[in-house]
Amino acid sequence: MRRVVVTGLGAITPLGVAGIRRTWQRLLAGHCGIVNILDRDERIAQLPCRIAAVVPMGKKVDGGWDPSEWLAPGVGFSISRIIGGADDRRMALFSQYAIAAAEEALGDAGLLGNMSEEQKDMAGVCIGSGIGSLDDVYNTSVTYEKGGYKKVSPLFVPRLLINMAAGHITMKHGFRGPNHAASTACTTGAHALGDASRFILHSDATIMLAGGSESCIHPLSLSGFCRAKSLCTAHNSTPHLSSRPFDSLRSGFVMGEGAGVVVLEELKHAKARGARIYAELKGYGLSGDAHHMTAPPEDGAGAERAMRAALRNAGVEPRRVGYINAHATSTVLGDRAENRAIKSVMLGQGGVERAGLVNISSTKGAVGHLLGAAGVVEAIFSILAVKENVLPPTLNLDHPGDPPEEFDCNYVPKAAQEKDVDVALTNSFGFGGTNASLCFAKYE
Ligand SMILES: *[C@@H]1O[C@H](CO)[C@@H](O)[C@H](O)[C@H]1NC(C)=O
Ligand SMILES: *[C@@H]1O[C@H](CO)[C@@H](O)[C@H](O)[C@H]1NC(C)=O
Ligand SMILES: *[C@@H]1O[C@H](CO)[C@@H](O)[C@H](O)[C@H]1NC(C)=O
Ligand SMILES: *[C@@H]1O[C@H](CO)[C@@H](O)[C@H](O)[C@H]1NC(C)=O
């Protein structure tokens, strides 16, 4: 029986760039990456929501994003730039973030520039995005409308395709195994990890780079989510208070950007090369709500089935789950439905005696909702919780509620908690009614 372990982590988040340590330490310290974004585009001023969780610009050593430190320079101005040109022209920003996160994850796993041709034959990539490059769609539409077809860039289509992040990574590192991408809205990152683990279990690959990337903060996407009444509009002048999962004053999610990539590896292969093992990916569950385009069913039935499936797949009883990283985006209905679902899984058969013993947090208070990257970045937080026995906090949680009597679990309010975690679950739910849950366990 093959087993899948995590041997490398990489992420670009609103809390930092270059090295998961910075993001993780800032998360545990209660920092928040949500800021006012009026300076990005004058049209933002017209919108009801003017905040987002943004990847900071700056030098790598200071935890900032500077594409020139990650991307290959161009080969001059020629027709060959279409296939051999500068990375920042060939790649949309979501692909650039994915390239950087993948490089970090490979370095963390001790695999960067250090793999044989046989290993590369059995190494694959599964990285998706929820929305992709809205910026390119928008700009090209405007250009086309004004100037006609000759104004459309030959790089338009390659920049646009969701699977191009994975494609670029396979080319950069010479991976010739599965080259795949999930695109399931906000469940993308979780599906990518789960599907990639199945490729390893079914012997399609020995090593998989898996994850998701998103960079679609744009007046148009903000307009769309505002019109759907999904975003928080109550904290434009106090952005760090805006994302408040499980709090009775929560009023919508905050859009974020970033990427996460993990190295998943077949256990024997990892052991043979003496790799550091963070945790085992033990279970994966998927379900659909079959209910509504954007709203969850009130009882969270879809979420409940996904969690139960992940636990069944892992062969783990609910009472062993010491930490749940919730999807909880800080919306009134979504958080309530997920809370009900978690309680019905954790308090039923094989679970704990009372809600106070259920340990849940939502890290979206700190990093916002990373959409297609949320599932993987939150999986990374869950993996680190298992590895280091610490629960990351839920920021801004003053009064759990709406209604308060239902919110009686331990939501790790405001400050991280140290405690033994043998098993963690992480949930992801997406528009379209798609739900997934991943189960990580200490490797022993
Ligand atoms: C390269 O791989 C070997 C064996 O798998 C390992 O011992 C070594 O530490 C790795 N080197 C780097 C730079 O990661
Ligand atoms: C789209 O146009 C804006 C405004 O000119 C520019 O700032 C931005 O970089 C463009 N984005 C892309 C992907 O070309
Ligand atoms: C499952 O997915 C849906 C997608 O519409 C999501 O909104 C919902 O929160 C999830 N189901 C729950 C919590 O019951
Ligand atoms: C949740 O944390 C508390 C306090 O550390 C602990 O007593 C309890 O066992 C934990 N719950 C589970 C299911 O492990």
Side-chain angles (χ1 to χ4, degrees):
M1 175 62 184
R2 286 163 73 95
R3 292 166 69 183
V4 178
V5 292
V6 177
T7 56
L9 305 174
I12 307 293
T13 78
L15 290 179
V17 174
I20 190 62
R21 304 310 314 174
R22 182 184 298 261
T23 289
W24 180 238
Q25 273 152 16
R26 293 193 64 200
L27 179 71
L28 295 182
H31 295 193
C32 176
I34 300 172
V35 295
N36 187 293
I37 53 167
L38 278 172
D39 57 348
R40 276 170 82 107
D41 189 309
E42 59 191 23
R43 290 166 294 185
I44 303 274
Q46 317 300 320
L47 302 175
C49 172
R50 305 191 278 279
I51 54 176
V54 176
V55 171
M57 298 296 289
K59 287 288 165 200
K60 211 195 270 193
V61 290
D62 302 320
W65 170 252
D66 176 352
S68 71
E69 292 181 286
W70 296 96
L71 305 172
V75 292
F77 189 81
S78 77
I79 188 71
S80 72
R81 75 164 190 259
I82 296 168
I83 42 173
D87 277 353
D88 64 343
R89 290 187 50 96
R90 295 187 305 145
M91 291 179 203
L93 188 57
F94 79 94
S95 293
Q96 298 178 19
Y97 285 164
I99 281 268
E103 189 163 321
E104 263 190 54
L106 281 171
D108 190 43
L111 291 169
L112 192 62
N114 195 18
M115 289 169 68
S116 68
E117 293 310 309
E118 292 72 27
Q119 283 175 316
K120 290 181 188 175
D121 277 337
M122 291 305 285
V125 181
C126 180
I127 292 177
S129 179
I131 292 184
S133 188
L134 195 69
D135 215 19
D136 276 295
V137 178
Y138 183 87
N139 285 7
T140 306
S141 304
V142 171
T143 312
Y144 176 71
E145 197 60 34
K146 281 197 203 134
Y149 109 94
K150 288 199 167 155
K151 292 289 180 195
V152 175
S153 162
L155 294 171
F156 175 53
V157 175
R159 284 175 63 96
L160 202 63
L161 299 178
I162 295 275
N163 67 310
M164 209 49 94
H168 281 297
I169 291 166
T170 64
M171 288 174 244
K172 178 156 186 177
H173 300 289
F175 289 2
R176 294 180 292 265
N179 175 349
H180 199 56
S183 182
T184 46
C186 306
T187 314
T188 295
H191 277 148
L193 263 63
D195 294 353
S197 74
R198 301 267 155 107
F199 296 154
I200 295 175
L201 290 175
H202 288 260
S203 305
D204 299 309
T206 309
I207 291 173
M208 288 294 301
L209 282 176
S213 185
E214 201 76 84
S215 70
C216 63
I217 297 170
H218 187 281
L220 185 57
S221 57
L222 286 164
S223 299
F225 281 117
C226 280
R227 296 291 293 168
K229 300 233 182 302
S230 304
L231 296 182
C232 173
T233 57
H235 286 281
N236 287 320
S237 49
T238 45
H240 58 289
L241 301 179
S242 57
S243 182
R244 33 197 324 118
F246 304 121
D247 187 74
S248 53
L249 295 179
R250 67 186 180 274
S251 60
F253 78 80
V254 178
M255 258 176 91
E257 63 171 357
V261 173
V262 304
V263 176
L264 298 177
E265 190 166 348
E266 194 268 323
L267 175 63
K268 286 204 185 97
H269 187 273
K271 276 168 60 175
R273 69 178 187 91
R276 168 190 45 199
I277 294 175
Y278 281 100
E280 179 171 4
L281 204 180
K282 234 174 144 59
Y284 173 38
L286 314 77
S287 70
D289 282 344
H291 175 70
H292 183 273
M293 281 193 309
T294 58
E298 287 223 329
D299 60 358
E304 184 180 334
R305 278 200 320 282
M307 281 184 276
R308 285 195 196 282
L311 290 172
R312 196 166 54 238
N313 184 221
V316 162
E317 290 222 293
R319 72 165 64 90
R320 284 192 56 209
V321 179
Y323 174 58
I324 300 173
N325 186 297
H327 180 68
T329 62
S330 185
T331 63
V332 175
L333 294 180
D335 294 13
R336 189 190 293 157
E338 184 177 11
N339 188 57
R340 286 178 186 164
I342 289 173
K343 282 171 68 175
S344 65
V345 171
M346 290 299 291
L347 296 175
Q349 210 190 351
V352 292
E353 299 76 50
R354 53 190 174 82
L357 294 175
V358 181
N359 304 303
I360 312 171
S361 74
S362 168
T363 42
K364 288 189 173 77
V367 295
H369 188 357
L370 270 56
L371 308 178
V376 55
V377 168
E378 290 161 19
I380 290 174
F381 296 156
S382 308
I383 290 161
L384 288 169
V386 166
K387 175 83 175 146
E388 300 187 358
N389 297 309
V390 52
L391 313 185
T394 305
L395 295 195
N396 300 316
L397 183 49
D398 293 321
H399 302 288
D402 196 11
E405 63 275 12
E406 275 190 35
F407 288 81
D408 49 358
C409 301
N410 168 25
Y411 301 97
V412 198
K414 295 186 170 181
Q417 295 175 4
E418 280 184 33
K419 70 173 249 54
D420 288 340
V421 184
D422 287 337
V423 177
L425 277 181
T426 176
N427 289 336
S428 289
F429 312 132
F431 280 4
T434 178
N435 310 59
S437 191
L438 295 166
C439 177
F440 294 96
K442 273 202 168 62
Y443 168 68
E444 46 210 349

